[in-house]
Amino acid sequence: MADPVAPPTPPPEGTEAKGPSKNELKKRAKEAEKAKKAAEKAAKQAELQAQQASTEEDFAKDNYGKLPLNQSSSRPRRQRTQIKDLSDSLDGQTVLMRCRIQTSRAQGNKMVFLNLRQRIDSVQALIIVDKENVSKQMAKWAAGLMMESIVLVEGVVKKAPEPIKSATVQDVEINIIKIYLESGIEGRLPFTLEDASRADEEVETAETQLNRVLLETRLNNRVIDLRTQTNQAVFKLQHGIGLLFREYLESQGFTEIHTPKLQGAATESGASVFKVNYFKGAAFLAQSPQLAKQMAIAADFERVYEIGPVFRAEDSNTHRHMTEFVGLDLEMAIQEHYHEVMELLDSLFLSIFRGLRERYSKESETVRRQFPAEEFKWREGPEGTLKLTFKEATDLLVEDGVPREVLDDINTENEKRLGRIIKAKYDTDYFIIDKFPMELRPFYTMPDPDDPTLSNSYDFFMRGEEILSGAQRIHDPTLLIEQMKKKGIEPESMKHYVDAFRMGCPPHGGGGIGLERVLMFFFKLNNIRRASMFPRDPKRLEP
């Protein structure tokens, strides 16, 4: 067994015990410093965690996000503002708008620039992180929204420090405080609206390569293409032409009529008519409302017009032909001479031209940014519209070097050439040719009283291309039957039409205008498909 350990010897009486050594004190000081640092670190960590917890709560969470599907469950009747109505007079006011996002650009994680669009109008908007309305999460979410998304935006109108050239509204911008996604984008856009809005010259002269959106690509994705500010303006102008057409004719005592587009016989010639099944027989799509509007005159309507579809089964793949287009047609009784009709049509066109210039200047400027062209010119002085006979027109072409033997008719190439000659000589893009050869006109055209090889007919031209064809019509049934037979048409096949004139019909005339052609030529769009919302040609039946 081991010896027990002796206890330490106590210090002698009257002496003091020694304190901790210097090493011990140093050791203790280090431990205290270490503990202090640990406490400070823990405090900082707790503060960071508190801040993070505060951030994660996202104080702006109710100010952004995707809206539930609108199923008309409520109607709060909040006032909405249109971009076109924004101005610096609204500075400081809060507005609510539904727009599309045209472009988006984040600047750091605290600011987002948006270009918001409604039809042809656009405005710059900013999302700026603050302590009250806009959180970092809100800015990040907004920056991720895809172009062409539809958003509901609430913001404050602010005067712009300098003109904003990237928007149509240049004197104000919107400071967004709330933004909600109403309708998003599924998949990828076929092209950007920025690319689709460029003029060809801009693409060709740019120092960097820019994307050119081809017409075929546009038409295959027409819904997206129609959203461009140019196309919004184009179809506002198309609407304007129809409205101006109506307004003028209403002021002249015309009645609007609506005629059938299914017919039992071809209107003009069987070669260019669509034949369709009609129960156990066949029908034809109307090439024009020609027969019906003439029958309306025989029924004493005196002056009628129609805006409606026209069908032509012509396999023409040109810049100015479609198989379906909108016809602006009119017919009127004449008192003495068919020039009454020609002069009224001339006044109609001048009214439309002036209306486009005076009432649609904003839309016109929008179109010209993408399709820059010399402004359409017409004679406005006391000399009036230039009127030539067919012979005078062909004489001008012969003087310019065209062989007379090829001028039995004026083809498209020579039409354009004539347009250039007339522009150079008379400084006008608009003119009329009268007295066409009888063999070039439909069976219902009245022959000239002095020269049966000529007709009482006329064509109107814009920029050297035809936009209206018209004439005095035959109102005598005997002469009508005679002319039908000369054109190889069996009168019995159009019995109801011929019978309309057996009961007495006043002398009359009229014309048919292609709506899309007027729009294309006035603004020099270069292809009629650009003037048709959903064009139809021999190669296109959709969309």
Side-chain angles (χ1 to χ4, degrees), residues 109-174:
N109 60 358
K110 293 187 176 181
M111 183 179 292
V112 181
F113 288 89
L114 300 176
N115 190 301
L116 302 177
R117 187 187 78 247
Q118 290 174 344
R119 302 200 65 189
I120 69 171
D121 303 294
S122 60
V123 66
Q124 178 173 282
L126 293 86
I127 298 174
I128 304 172
V129 173
D130 59 23
K131 295 181 179 180
E132 296 179 2
N133 300 303
V134 181
S135 63
K136 285 184 179 179
Q137 293 97 321
M138 177 175 169
K140 182 180 179 181
W141 178 84
L145 291 171
M146 295 182 67
M147 288 187 293
E148 290 305 295
S149 296
I150 298 175
V151 291
L152 185 64
V153 165
E154 186 175 329
V156 180
V157 179
K158 295 289 185 183
K159 286 184 180 180
E162 58 185 37
I164 301 167
K165 295 180 180 179
S166 61
T168 61
V169 176
Q170 300 189 347
D171 56 347
V172 298
E173 57 190 12
I174 306 296

Side-chain angles (χ1 to χ4, degrees), residues 199-252:
D200 286 345
E201 185 180 355
E202 182 185 352
V203 177
E204 291 164 2
T205 59
E207 294 181 1
T208 58
Q209 185 174 351
L210 298 175
N211 293 324
R212 185 196 296 273
V213 184
L214 301 176
L215 181 58
E216 186 75 6
T217 304
R218 293 173 180 275
L219 297 180
N220 288 339
N221 301 277
R222 192 60 162 156
V223 170
I224 303 300
D225 185 46
L226 289 171
R227 292 179 189 172
T228 67
Q229 289 166 297
T230 301
N231 277 328
Q232 290 290 316
V234 163
F235 291 99
K236 182 70 173 179
L237 289 162
Q238 188 192 78
H239 156 79
I241 293 168
L243 179 64
L244 292 164
F245 176 82
R246 269 197 175 95
E247 286 180 352
Y248 180 80
L249 294 181
E250 291 287 339
S251 76
Q252 299 299 312

Side-chain angles (χ1 to χ4, degrees), residues 202-331:
E202 182 185 352
V203 177
E204 291 164 2
T205 59
E207 294 181 1
T208 58
Q209 185 174 351
L210 298 175
N211 293 324
R212 185 196 296 273
V213 184
L214 301 176
L215 181 58
E216 186 75 6
T217 304
R218 293 173 180 275
L219 297 180
N220 288 339
N221 301 277
R222 192 60 162 156
V223 170
I224 303 300
D225 185 46
L226 289 171
R227 292 179 189 172
T228 67
Q229 289 166 297
T230 301
N231 277 328
Q232 290 290 316
V234 163
F235 291 99
K236 182 70 173 179
L237 289 162
Q238 188 192 78
H239 156 79
I241 293 168
L243 179 64
L244 292 164
F245 176 82
R246 269 197 175 95
E247 286 180 352
Y248 180 80
L249 294 181
E250 291 287 339
S251 76
Q252 299 299 312
F254 281 72
T255 300
E256 183 173 9
I257 60 173
H258 306 283
T259 62
K261 304 310 166 198
L262 283 171
Q263 299 184 334
T267 312
E268 294 178 22
S269 68
S272 61
V273 64
F274 285 110
K275 188 176 182 179
V276 297
N277 292 330
Y278 195 73
F279 301 102
K280 293 182 179 180
F284 303 91
L285 295 181
Q287 295 159 293
S288 77
Q290 184 59 46
L291 309 185
K293 63 182 183 174
Q294 283 189 256
M295 292 165 76
I297 299 301
D300 288 348
F301 280 89
E302 289 283 327
R303 294 185 165 197
V304 297
Y305 74 91
E306 179 172 16
I307 300 178
V310 174
F311 302 91
R312 298 285 170 90
E314 297 171 352
D315 192 8
S316 298
N317 294 284
T318 74
H319 74 287
R320 67 177 191 172
H321 286 96
M322 294 192 295
T323 53
E324 179 183 351
F325 61 90
V326 178
L328 308 177
D329 280 89
L330 67 85
E331 203 77 15

